[in-house]
């Protein structure tokens, strides 16, 4: 199975996406806000600083909008390693493909 890893970031936050590429779609998405934490959903984090929380909530809202776009699979799949794509939202979101790899199965 073919998989790839992307970094999605704005001016304050980043999120790692690992996904399987199949039939022109990114499926079996795994998201990580950092360290060794992985989830199948975009992570909702809580911050004690209200301004940081507001910025993070805007970042997450932008990601939900991005993933609802009809052309979102093309943006991720057609990216070249090291290439950046910009998605205009409340603040620009950058998408950077960092790795492509093949695996037989995920344990």
């Amino acid at each position: 199975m073919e998989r790839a890893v992307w970094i999605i970031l704005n001016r304050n936050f980043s999120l790692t996406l690992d996904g399987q590429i199949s039939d022109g779609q990114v499926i079996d998405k795994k998201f990580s806000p950092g360290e060794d934490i992985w989830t199948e959903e975009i992570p909702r984090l809580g911050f004690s600083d209200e301004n940081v929380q507001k910025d993070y909530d805007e970042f997450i809202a932008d990601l939900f909008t991005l993933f609802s776009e009809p052309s979102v699979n093309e943006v991720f799949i057609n990216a070249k390693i090291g290439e950046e794509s910009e998605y205009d939202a409340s603040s620009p979101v950058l998408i950077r493909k960092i790795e492509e790899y093949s695996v037989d199965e995920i344990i």
Side-chain angles (χ1 to χ4, degrees):
M1 96 183 55
E2 300 301 312
R3 297 188 68 88
V5 179
W6 299 266
I7 298 291
I8 307 167
L9 57 141
N10 72 2
R11 67 184 184 282
N12 297 317
F13 301 99
S14 68
L15 186 65
T16 304
L17 167 62
D18 181 310
Q20 180 181 345
I21 299 171
S22 177
D23 298 323
Q25 295 187 3
V26 179
I27 60 172
D28 187 34
K29 298 177 189 90
K30 310 287 188 224
F31 297 95
S32 176
E35 298 295 322
D36 223 4
I37 300 168
W38 291 92
T39 179
E40 293 180 358
E41 297 178 0
I42 295 173
R44 297 274 190 168
L45 302 178
F47 298 92
S48 57
D49 184 305
E50 288 181 26
N51 292 325
V52 172
Q53 186 67 54
K54 181 179 177 239
D55 288 346
Y56 185 75
D57 291 343
E58 287 176 9
F59 176 59
I60 295 305
D62 290 343
L63 295 183
F64 282 123
T65 302
L66 168 66
F67 281 102
S68 70
E69 292 286 335
S71 62
V72 69
N73 287 304
E74 293 172 30
V75 170
F76 283 95
I77 293 171
N78 294 337
K80 306 271 188 276
I81 292 180
E83 176 182 286
E84 287 185 351
S85 299
E86 185 173 321
Y87 175 74
D88 286 323
S90 63
S91 64
V93 174
L94 297 177
I95 301 156
R96 182 182 306 136
K97 185 185 269 185
I98 59 171
E99 181 181 10
E100 296 173 334
Y101 65 99
S102 297
V103 294
D104 293 328
E105 67 178 296
I106 296 179
I107 300 173

